[in-house]
Amino acid sequence: MMKTNLLTLAFSTATILALTMCNAPSEEGPSEAAGINGETIADHIKILASDEFEGRKPFTTGETKTIEYIKSEFEKMGIKPGNGDSYYQKVPLVSINATVETNMTITSGSGTKELAFGSDYVALTRRVQEDISVNDSEIVFAGFGIVAPEYDWNDYEGLDVAGKTVVVLVNDPGFGTGDNTFFKGNSMTYYGRWTYKYEEAARQGAEGILIIHETIPAGYPWEVVQNGWSGSKLYLKSEDNNASRCAVEGWISTNAAAQLFADAGLPGYYFNNEARKPDFTAVSLNQTMSVSLSNTLETSESNNVIGLYEGSERSDEYIIYSGHWDHLGIGAPVEGDSIWNGAVDNATGIAAIFEIAREFTRLEEKPKRSVLFMAVTAEEQGLLGSAHYAENPIYPVTKTVANINMDAMRAIGKMKDVTVIGHGQSELDDYAAEAAATQGRYILPDTDPGKGYFFRSDHFNFAKVGIPALYAKGGYEHIENGVEWTKEQQADYTANRYHKAADEYNESWDMSGIVQDAELFFQIGLKIANEDRFPQWKEGSEFKAKRDADMAQAN
Ligand SMILES: [Zn+2]
């Protein structure tokens, strides 16, 4: 032990010397002046999104280059390792390619029917196991598969689903009701996400779960399910090899579901309506399901990169700035370009984190609380790096005050708005509004809340474990060019660069909007860092009950 410590000490001294030298004024350009600097952000983006970084895919040399770059930038700034002596948190992942060994069969009193893989159903497993089979598992219709204390709603009430397969509806009971107080109407709640339904079924101890696909409440056609559920998938690999997940997770088509209900003597549409009623109770469909899968497994490790800037008074309380470092790597060439550089998505977020971190280190008075700068991995594969941190937190969740996430910041200039994704969830909205006012900007709730964007970037994993999270950016009304122009820019990005090889840095980028957002996030974080209070989830938030219970237990 002693030897290790001495080595570490020697290393730190060398680092400090190197750092001092790097900080010599002659070596730094305009970025030496205080304030978030657009040129510095652009310089980082140019490097992170260069072809040399190969599209920053996990487990490639692109990952090695990226995480070393982030680590060395943290070191230069005097941001300390965030995981003991290390800047890295290992993220164990497993790639599972599940193929159906024996097709899904449904057995009722009148015999056994086989479903067709792809057109009737899809099925996978997250269990790290070569063979999985479910045999004659009783099928239970569990409504929407939701347990939501804030709506006094429990589709699993009085139900023992051990060894059974639950069949549940997509989205949540509020969708289509037009009642914004009931599961937020058409705005998607956490409970509407298919990922939630799988997790809840696992918590309840079900053996299998099948979600009934319906195009309108799902927001996409069956083909999306079909295509998205074939081939190998990357998952987090937990210590129990994901044994706590359901053995089989899948979807069934509307037609296949209608047949299940018909064979149970129940009309499908009647049931869809029935499941929305508060007094709905789950019902056995008097049929059983069997299926067997064979898995090709590959395990590997990626890395989150975490830096810590210690607070002066309440250093055991933390604010997390997050952004994902990964992107999609190298693919089939498009017009001669095979590198998915991920300049907007998300070299911008990492570059902004660097500048925010530097602002903290340049403060005359250190912040009272500690600040964590977290560059997480495998967001593009399903928010896996942030999920791993949230499930294996280095700092206690109840001591983590807030998360501010940055993903795909837009280099199209200053905005009048601050669009808050998931507006209404937490008091961080109010912090954002206050900071926005100092910039002469207004707060705009997410213009498309039905898409559930609040559940689709890394902040969501922090929210899930109870940490209030802010995901916001300017993106609606350009300060000079207005709303329509901004819409055109957004549409152009989505159509031509989003998740494409063409997401590259361009010298024509206007960095002022990213600077404006980074300044906003710095202000918000600094205010929280110097306060005593913990920002709360608002009434009606899906994350409030868990946070309140955890905080009550911790205090
Ligand atoms: Zn992204």
Side-chain angles (χ1 to χ4, degrees):
M1 282 305 279
M2 182 60 93
K3 202 169 182 182
T4 316
N5 284 342
L6 281 174
L7 278 171
T8 315
L9 191 69
F11 175 74
S12 306
T13 314
T15 312
I16 290 162
L17 282 174
L19 198 117
T20 318
M21 288 167 73
C22 283
N23 276 357
S26 59
E27 288 198 33
E28 294 270 327
S31 59
E32 189 58 19
I36 305 258
N37 187 293
E39 281 174 49
T40 311
I41 293 179
D43 287 343
H44 288 305
I45 296 170
K46 276 183 231 173
I47 293 167
L48 289 164
S50 66
D51 284 356
E52 203 195 322
F53 279 64
E54 299 177 5
R56 304 188 306 279
K57 194 172 182 182
F59 330 124
T60 63
T61 46
E63 161 158 6
T64 312
K65 284 180 180 166
T66 306
I67 64 174
E68 282 174 0
Y69 181 75
I70 298 168
K71 174 189 167 204
S72 78
E73 288 304 308
F74 282 162
E75 279 174 341
K76 276 192 223 167
M77 286 181 244
I79 300 291
K80 289 187 183 156
N83 188 14
D85 288 344
S86 175
Y87 285 95
Y88 302 140
Q89 181 189 35
K90 296 275 173 220
V91 180
L93 296 167
V94 58
S95 134
I96 304 181
N97 194 345
T99 47
V100 172
E101 260 314 268
T102 315
N103 251 336
M104 188 177 285
T105 55
I106 307 290
T107 303
S108 66
S110 57
T112 296
K113 285 177 190 163
E114 186 174 305
L115 300 186
F117 181 82
S119 55
D120 293 333
Y121 80 100
V122 293
L124 292 177
T125 187
R126 294 185 198 223
R127 291 194 183 169
V128 187
Q129 214 176 305
E130 280 180 2
D131 297 292
I132 292 277
S133 56
V134 171
N135 298 307
D136 289 323
S137 167
E138 182 186 340
I139 302 173
V140 177
F141 176 58
F144 288 89
I146 292 172
V147 180
E150 63 276 22
Y151 298 104
D152 199 18
W153 190 278
N154 185 353
D155 284 322
Y156 287 95
E157 186 141 30
L159 193 62
D160 177 7
V161 290
K164 297 176 186 169
T165 294
V166 292
V167 168
V168 300
L169 295 166
V170 72
N171 212 316
D172 65 42
F175 184 83
T177 60
D179 176 359
N180 287 336
T181 64
F182 182 55
F183 285 88
K184 301 184 184 173
N186 282 354
S187 294
M188 189 180 270
T189 64
Y190 170 37
Y191 306 113
R193 295 283 292 162
W194 55 270
T195 51
Y196 163 80
K197 292 169 194 281
Y198 289 168
E199 287 168 13
E200 190 57 53
R203 276 192 286 273
Q204 300 288 337
E207 189 169 22
I209 170 161
L210 297 170
I211 300 174
I212 301 171
H213 176 266
E214 291 172 285
T215 301
I216 292 170
Y220 40 82
W222 174 254
E223 288 68 37
V224 170
V225 175
Q226 211 175 331
N227 296 335
W229 286 70
S230 52
S232 64
K233 294 258 162 206
L234 201 59
Y235 301 110
L236 283 182
K237 182 175 162 293
S238 68
E239 270 172 29
D240 70 354
N241 281 322
N242 304 346
S244 60
R245 302 292 304 214
C246 294
V248 168
E249 300 174 346
W251 291 74
I252 50 171
S253 68
T254 315
N255 288 342
Q259 191 62 51
L260 278 182
F261 286 114
D263 289 348
L266 299 162
Y269 284 107
Y270 165 79
F271 242 77
N272 201 335
N273 294 335
E274 203 63 12
R276 284 174 207 282
K277 293 180 182 163
D279 59 352
F280 167 79
T281 46
V283 58
S284 171
L285 296 184
N286 293 317
Q287 294 161 80
T288 63
M289 184 275 276
S290 302
V291 68
S292 56
L293 307 172
S294 132
N295 298 318
T296 309
L297 308 166
E298 240 175 286
T299 56
S300 40
E301 262 182 345
S302 186
N303 295 274
N304 291 331
V305 191
I306 304 170
L308 167 69
Y309 194 61
E310 246 173 298
S312 59
E313 272 179 33
R314 285 188 305 287
S315 60
D316 65 337
E317 293 175 358
Y318 307 87
I319 289 129
I320 298 177
Y321 284 96
S322 63
H324 69 92
W325 62 253
D326 68 296
H327 194 59
L328 300 166
I330 298 176
V334 178
E335 290 169 15
D337 186 2
S338 61
I339 299 176
W340 270 238
N341 303 79
V344 167
D345 190 9
N346 182 32
T348 54
I350 298 301
I353 286 178
F354 287 148
E355 271 303 87
I356 291 169
R358 253 158 53 100
E359 275 299 89
F360 273 99
T361 64
R362 283 190 290 224
L363 289 169
E364 271 177 36
E365 273 178 55
K366 283 187 111 185
K368 291 176 179 162
R369 283 170 162 153
S370 296
V371 186
L372 293 164
F373 301 97
M374 220 175 271
V376 295
T377 184
E379 189 267 359
E380 304 287 9
Q381 321 272 355
L383 320 182
L384 301 178
S386 54
H388 178 75
Y389 180 87
E391 287 163 26
N392 304 273
I394 297 167
Y395 304 92
V397 166
T398 51
K399 293 282 185 184
T400 306
V401 183
N403 164 243
I404 299 171
N405 187 57
M406 281 157 274
D407 192 357
M409 301 172 85
R410 300 301 319 284
I412 54 175
K414 287 189 179 182
M415 295 288 155
K416 285 188 185 171
D417 66 292
V418 175
T419 297
V420 176
I421 311 295
H423 187 262
Q425 285 280 7
S426 82
E427 289 176 358
L428 295 180
D429 293 356
D430 309 325
Y431 286 81
E434 197 189 307
T438 67
Q439 295 182 320
R441 301 166 78 184
Y442 61 86
I443 292 287
L444 185 72
D446 182 359
T447 50
D448 201 356
K451 292 251 164 66
Y453 286 117
F454 190 71
F455 317 110
R456 289 162 63 173
S457 187
D458 295 300
H459 59 282
F460 167 58
N461 283 314
F462 298 109
K464 240 169 97 175
V465 294
I467 302 164
L470 179 71
Y471 182 41
K473 54 186 139 179
Y476 179 73
E477 184 178 4
H478 187 270
I479 201 160
E480 285 149 12
N481 301 329
V483 173
E484 285 312 311
W485 180 88
T486 311
K487 273 189 192 159
E488 282 163 25
Q489 299 294 313
Q490 303 286 29
D492 174 53
Y493 166 73
T494 307
N496 301 315
R497 289 184 297 287
Y498 171 69
H499 284 193
K500 289 192 163 70
D503 181 5
E504 291 184 347
Y505 177 77
N506 189 304
E507 290 297 337
S508 70
W509 277 18
D510 179 348
M511 300 303 295
S512 62
I514 296 181
V515 170
Q516 194 189 26
D517 280 353
E519 278 167 351
L520 180 93
F521 298 144
F522 171 69
Q523 272 190 55
I524 296 168
L526 180 61
K527 180 175 163 73
I528 300 168
N530 286 329
E531 284 180 347
D532 292 336
R533 66 186 303 276
F534 280 71
Q536 304 290 308
W537 291 103
K538 290 191 172 176
E539 222 48 70
S541 166
E542 302 92 298
F543 310 103
K544 185 173 173 56
K546 176 170 171 50
R547 179 65 160 185
D548 290 354
D550 290 351
M551 294 303 269
Q553 206 184 15
N555 292 314

